[in-house]
Amino acid sequence: MRIAILGCGYVGLVTGACLAEIGHSVVCTDNDESKIETLNQGSLPIYEPGLQEIVDRCVAAQRLSFTTNLGEAVRHGDTIFICVGTPPLPNGDADLSSIDAAARLIATESRSSKLVVEKSTVPMQTGQNLARALTIYSRKSSHTFSVASNPEFLREGTAVLDFLHPDRIVIGVNDEQTEGMLREIYQPVLQRSVVPCPVHKGSCPVKEAPTLLVTSISSAELIKHASNSFLAVKISYANLIADICESMGADVEEVVLGMGLDPRIGPAFLRPGLGFGGFCFPKDIQAFIRLGERAGVDVSLLRDAEVINKRRVDQFLAKATHYLWTLKQKRIGVLGLAFKPNTDDIRFAPAIELISKLLQEHAQVQVFDPKAMTKSRSLFPSIRYCQDAYQVAEHAEALLIATEWEEFKNLDWERIKTLMQRPLVLDGRNLLDAQQMQAMGFEYQGIGIPVTQAAAETARAVALR
Ligand code: UGA
């Protein structure tokens, strides 16, 4: 089928490339001409494992192209996926002006009837407003527009895998014809017949075919927001348990392991640490709070989850202060900048907040991240960007682990110990084994693992602030 993608961010690029990979003819466009230029030069504006290979193959097969000509892209697609950004406004609401602009573009540039699919994360009822906007902006034309919601559940770092091997595909539609078109688009994924699968190179693990859930447009929109907010609440819950463990002398890793063995709870998203970041959870929970308030519903559960999350970095910093007494002029190494491993995305990354606060305390900060250094340089021009984790350790009085990159786990920690001025490791992601680190002679402190009375008191003082 002929598909247009409006917006070449994470969602748009992965969606466009994967739809081309499963056989469709896809044209992607974006307001940001430099992004399209980068793509047309054969590079990607983001790092996402496996994506480059798919883009290269589909461009060569002429199933995927990128254009700055927005109208041309609109006219190419019988189905148009809106993948534009919906960033937070100062009051927490999602800024939907790019969706409105996309509706105007589609309405004015179309020369035939279209199916318009909202893929961007949007508050409930956006589909209704989108349909209305398309009707208003196209009042001089005879073309019709049907609207659908098809929320994405892609995680950065595993987005290609998530697209090609989803657990579920949700489509919110108003009519059977639209449902039929979306079924056809996703047929290879639904039938698990993507051959050869670019992720597993032809040997995909045995897994049940994804469920295709057909709902109303409003329900589909809500499924996305409710899912992200639930996961955010789950993480904050794990962090609350971690705080109790740390103060009272239990080990959170044992506790969440025990909890996760209950299939009603499950082990996923119970990893305690510096909290959730990225461009999805922090903004989505805020937008969901606003939506609930407008619906007249008590959203204090969501608000508390957000508050717990916002405290994580301060509590971690309090721990660093406890160990180092004062941070001023102390050389501190930070491992990790990205909001999670396997991405170069630093938006709302706890590591970024941590570094800002270390700088406010006049610490001397040196950092390394396998992928996110380039994106961080303009934010913090004065800190030291190191070639690798070993350079970060040089003369440091503490190493703070902010992102759980697998390669940090596999470092030569004996060597790190000899490089550091003081072998103090504060692990904000519980990446390392506490006993092993202590046996090696490190002063090591994770999250939610019993600490000395004094450290517990400092953390509690911050929590009560
Ligand atoms: C999230 C959702 O997982 C996707 O399903 C959704 O499609 C996406 O948002 C979106 O709305 O576009 P993503 O933001 O890429 O995906 O990352 P996650 O893997 O969900 O992690 C989010 C944050 O939570 C990260 O900062 C991560 O470090 C943190 N996290 C995650 C924890 O602190 N503990 C956990 O147990 C899990």
Side-chain angles (χ1 to χ4, degrees), residues 152-154 156 224 228 269-271 276-277 280 339-340:
E152 53 84 17
F153 303 108
L154 309 174
E156 288 183 24
K224 169 66 195 226
N228 272 8
F269 281 73
L270 279 178
R271 282 197 328 273
F276 56 81
C280 300
F339 82 97
K340 66 174 198 177

Side-chain angles (χ1 to χ4, degrees), residues 5 7-16 82-83 119-120 152 154:
I5 304 283
C8 290
Y10 280 95
V11 175
L13 260 185
V14 173
T15 303
I82 300 182
C83 303
K119 197 80 170 138
S120 307
E152 53 84 17
L154 309 174

